[in-house]
Each structure stands twice: as structure tokens, then as C-alpha cells.
Amino acid sequence: MEINKNRSLKNLNTFGVKANTKYFAEIHNLDDIHALLEWKMQNDLPALLLGGGSNLLFINDYQGLIAKVCLAGKEVIEADSKHTYISVAAGENWHEFVRWTIAEGYAGLENLSLIPGTVGAAPIQNIGAYGVELADHFYSLQAVNLENGDVLEFNKERCEFAYRESFFKAYGLDRLLITSVTFALPKKPQWKIDYAGVREVLEEKEPTAEIISDAIIALRQSKLPDPEIIGNAGSFFKNPVINPKQWQALKEDNPDLSGYKQTDGNMKISAAWLIDQCGWKGYRDDAAGVSEKHALVLVNHGKATGDELWALASEIIKSVEEKYGLILEPEPRIVV
């Protein structure tokens, strides 16, 4: 494992904020993982695991080691009467993996097209979009405990998946290095297409994974700014989940508010609507701003610092709490 000093992180985070890390390394194989374990034992410094850099915000320079997970490879490992099981290394690009499954004739992940990041980071956030979450087609994963080198196997129950949450996000950040993820893709898919922009494309057409994926890609591109053009990390805030009593009170005061009933009876409501109603959509303070396309997306117009973007996010959180009594939670990891 080659360690570089004073590495710029500007091109390693999709916000494009300027920050440096004291030490930087890439993890390509088991030898690199063992070297990382040795480094951690020999140095009293923090180590941060980095995927695609699309779900974090650096507030300051990082005073430790950032290890970018670059593990590569994917293969079909098994099939039964209902599922095909595909194992994917953690460093593979998520969207490229989704499109590969479609090209190979598999379905299930098409609604998760164009989500940025890596395969290994996806279970941490339990990524989801358009009615599908990673947990819906997750089978298992392997991870290395960076405190003792143990190789661990996690089934779905052990991962404790919830809305944008998991065991890894709650307890395992930088402690467990996910090395591979195995998906169980259905041989008889159940299409999730009841969304504006998807329904229209599929009118009078027989659904396929490719057609749905293409529609999702077009829909996301129409709503979300491209981080290659303007720095962003996609949706910055989680949609609040509230109890039925809270929902009823909010709905009475805000008839235009839409909600989505959850399996536990609670209601998930649109954070974008709340932010828009507070007047933030399209807002800009120097280089830190809110996208004109989508109120959930904070953008870096060029030279915004992580501190400036977080200050803006904090103001948005404050205004929503004052107007609606709800506290928005950020989706990205805030690295201070």
C-alpha cells in the first residue's frame, strides 16, 4: 500500500470543495487491507474509508489517513429457482454495476440507476430511489474489522437496514471495511413504475429493466444537477418520517403536502417541499447555494468551502424547524 502525503481531496469529493488529507492510500487487494491494519496499529491517527466521495462534505483538512477503496471485480456465484446471486467488489462504480446487470439480462436494480458512489458504500446508506431500496435485493456482504483483522459475514438481518440507515452507518464507519456485496436478483421481477416520468415512458410498452433504467436516468438528469458541471452530493437532506398524529396536524395546515405511508404506519414527507416552502430553492450566497432544479440539493458554484456549505445547510435546517417543527437530517457524512 503506497501512502502519499498532503493529498488534495478536491477531485475526490463530488462537492469539489478544497481540502487536503495528511495521508492518502488506495486499497486494491487483501495485501493493501493488511497494510492498512498495520498502519492503524502503528499510528495514533484516524483513518477514513472513502468510496466515490459522493456522500460526504469535508469541513476542514483531514488530519489522518484517507483510504480509497478500489477493490474491483464481479461475478455470478449461484442461481436457484427464484434468484441469481451476484457478488460485487466494494470499489466497483454503482451505476456501472447496475447497467452491467441489465446488459447481462438481470433485473431488480434498474430503479437505482445513476445513483453516484460505489457498491461498497451503497449498503452503508441503504441507497434508494423510486420505490426501491438496496435492502430489497441485498443478500449478504463481507467486511474486514479494521480493529483486529477479522473477516465478517453479514446477512440482511444483521445489517439492520432502515430508511437511509444501516448497522454500518450507526456503528461501523471506518471500523468495518466492506470488501464485497452479494445481491439476490429476481428471475421474475416485480416492476416499480408508478412514478411520474416513468409511467409516461412505459405507456403501451412492455416493461423491461433497460427501458425503466433509461427512464430513471432521464428523470434524474432532468431534476438533479450533474456534479461534473456543478459540485453537489445529490440529495443533501433525508425526508422526515413522522407519526400519524404529526402528519394529520401538518396536513391540516398544509393541504398541498404529500406523504408516503410506511410499513410501520408512519408517514414519510418531502424534505424538498418543506425547503421550497421556506424559500430556499435557487438561493445563492456567493458560491454556496441551493439548486434551481431541486430544493434538496446544495451546490458549490465554484469556490465554496465545506464550512460555507455546512453553514447554509444549518440555516435551512433552522428555518424548517422554525416553520414546521421538524428537524431535517443531512444525508452526507459531515467530516470535521
Side-chain angles (χ1 to χ4, degrees), residues 204-248:
E204 300 180 1
K205 289 184 180 178
E206 185 71 24
T208 68
E210 184 174 16
I211 289 174
I212 295 171
S213 175
D214 289 345
I216 296 293
I217 291 169
L219 199 55
R220 290 182 68 90
Q221 288 175 333
S222 71
K223 289 185 174 183
L224 302 174
D226 185 348
E228 295 290 332
I229 298 173
I230 184 168
N232 73 90
S235 298
F236 194 89
F237 299 100
K238 293 169 62 176
N239 291 315
V241 178
I242 60 178
N243 63 48
K245 187 175 180 181
Q246 288 175 300
W247 163 251
Q248 185 176 4

Side-chain angles (χ1 to χ4, degrees), residues 9-49:
L9 298 169
K10 188 175 187 299
N11 294 326
L12 293 173
N13 73 96
T14 59
F15 263 121
V17 299
K18 286 186 177 181
N20 291 331
T21 179
K22 190 171 185 178
Y23 300 105
F24 177 82
E26 292 184 349
I27 306 299
H28 291 273
N29 49 48
L30 286 176
D31 288 341
D32 290 339
I33 295 174
H34 294 149
L36 176 60
L37 283 161
E38 289 184 15
W39 186 92
K40 283 175 62 66
M41 286 188 291
Q42 295 169 4
N43 294 271
D44 187 23
L45 289 171
L48 182 149
L49 300 174

Side-chain angles (χ1 to χ4, degrees), residues 2-7 21-26 64-65:
E2 180 181 348
I3 297 179
N4 299 308
K5 295 182 178 180
N6 299 317
R7 172 74 150 80
T21 179
K22 190 171 185 178
Y23 300 105
F24 177 82
E26 292 184 349
L65 170 72

Side-chain angles (χ1 to χ4, degrees), residues 237 270-281 290 295-297 316 319-320 324 328:
F237 299 100
S270 170
W273 188 90
L274 299 171
I275 295 167
D276 199 5
Q277 294 301 304
C278 290
W280 289 105
K281 189 175 182 180
V290 180
L296 271 186
V297 182
I316 293 171
S319 70
V320 170
Y324 296 104
L328 296 181

Side-chain angles (χ1 to χ4, degrees), residues 146-164:
L146 295 179
E147 295 177 349
N148 55 27
D150 288 350
V151 178
L152 307 172
E153 185 89 15
F154 286 80
N155 60 17
K156 185 184 291 189
E157 182 180 5
R158 195 176 176 192
C159 291
E160 298 180 11
F161 289 127
Y163 171 59
R164 302 298 176 270

